[in-house]
Amino acid sequence: EWTALEGEEVSDGNCTGLLGLQSAFLKESTKRLHAPLEFMFPEAVSVDENGLAVPVLPTLPSRYDLAKLDAAMREELSLADPRQGGGDLGMAAMISAVVVGMLREFCGAARRAVSEVGDGDGKADTRTSSLGEGVTHNLNVAGVMSNLANFVRNAPDATFVNPYRPAQSAQHEEASHACRVALQPALQEIDSLVGESILDPLCRSVNRK
């Protein structure tokens, strides 16, 4: 009976039981979480004195943009709050998986925004001790990703535990833990992006000098 209640996907693409409701919820959750990404890393446009398009580095998300993304993550995760009818711990893990999908898309946009560091970009100006524009931009991307990682690390407790201190329950602690475990792939994705696309190329460029 429980298996029938949970439902399954049938041949015509429809779902039976609760699976259809779950699929509809996840679809709307994904839509809400991905909405802020529309305004992240917009392509910058510039023209020279002849009116010709000039390639410029993408605009990076501001602290305000990241704060909105953090608020969207925590608002979505709060739907799994045990005190608000969030159900069992599977709800926290399920929503966290949607958050991970959104963060992976953010990482993809950030990866495309990284400037390719050429032979001249990794060299510091000996007169001003300043780095090239491309390197500076990439380090700023790394800063954005560091701030985002902090938001992701803090989200479980900020959502399930801190609002109820000092009266949080064991359920809240368990929901926070389940969320933290489920969000680990996103933190690994962020670390991989910064290492492979920013720090490693920068080190290779500097070592060539």
Side-chain angles (χ1 to χ4, degrees):
E1 292 182 359
W2 175 245
T3 301
L5 182 61
E6 283 187 312
E8 60 182 358
E9 186 172 347
V10 293
S11 57
D12 60 359
N14 294 321
C15 299
T16 63
L18 296 177
L19 185 59
L21 183 61
Q22 175 180 309
S23 298
F25 169 79
L26 291 176
K27 181 178 180 180
E28 291 302 313
S29 178
T30 300
K31 186 184 301 184
R32 289 190 294 268
L33 281 168
H34 282 68
L37 297 184
E38 180 182 352
F39 306 102
M40 304 289 178
F41 301 102
E43 292 186 5
V45 178
S46 181
V47 294
D48 60 16
E49 62 274 10
N50 298 317
L52 299 176
V54 177
V56 293
L57 296 171
T59 302
L60 302 184
S62 65
R63 290 183 179 273
Y64 174 72
D65 293 327
L66 292 181
K68 286 203 303 184
L69 194 63
D70 175 49
M73 283 192 298
R74 288 187 287 108
E75 182 175 356
E76 207 63 30
L77 289 169
S78 69
L79 297 176
D81 188 335
R83 192 169 296 188
Q84 303 298 326
D88 60 18
L89 299 181
M91 183 75 165
M94 183 174 66
I95 297 177
S96 296
V98 181
V99 173
V100 169
M102 178 273 292
L103 292 171
R104 281 179 169 151
E105 185 169 325
F106 185 99
C107 287
R111 198 180 298 272
R112 292 189 294 272
V114 171
S115 172
E116 293 187 8
V117 178
D119 290 337
D121 291 334
K123 187 175 181 180
D125 188 325
T126 56
R127 297 168 298 176
T128 64
S129 298
S130 63
L131 294 172
E133 181 184 9
V135 173
T136 301
H137 172 81
N138 289 353
L139 292 177
N140 287 335
V141 174
V144 168
M145 302 312 295
S146 175
N147 290 333
L148 179 63
N150 287 333
F151 283 134
V152 175
R153 290 189 189 96
N154 295 333
D157 280 355
T159 303
F160 299 110
V161 178
N162 294 347
Y164 301 105
R165 289 190 188 277
Q168 75 273 13
S169 66
Q171 276 186 307
H172 286 104
E173 297 283 358
E174 291 170 357
S176 176
H177 176 72
C179 179
R180 186 176 298 106
V181 171
L183 290 175
Q184 281 303 308
L187 292 172
Q188 293 168 0
E189 185 85 12
I190 292 172
D191 288 343
S192 175
L193 163 65
V194 173
E196 295 176 2
S197 298
I198 300 175
L199 298 183
D200 289 350
L202 175 59
C203 290
R204 288 195 297 270
S205 179
V206 171
N207 289 335
R208 286 198 299 266
K209 308 306 174 185

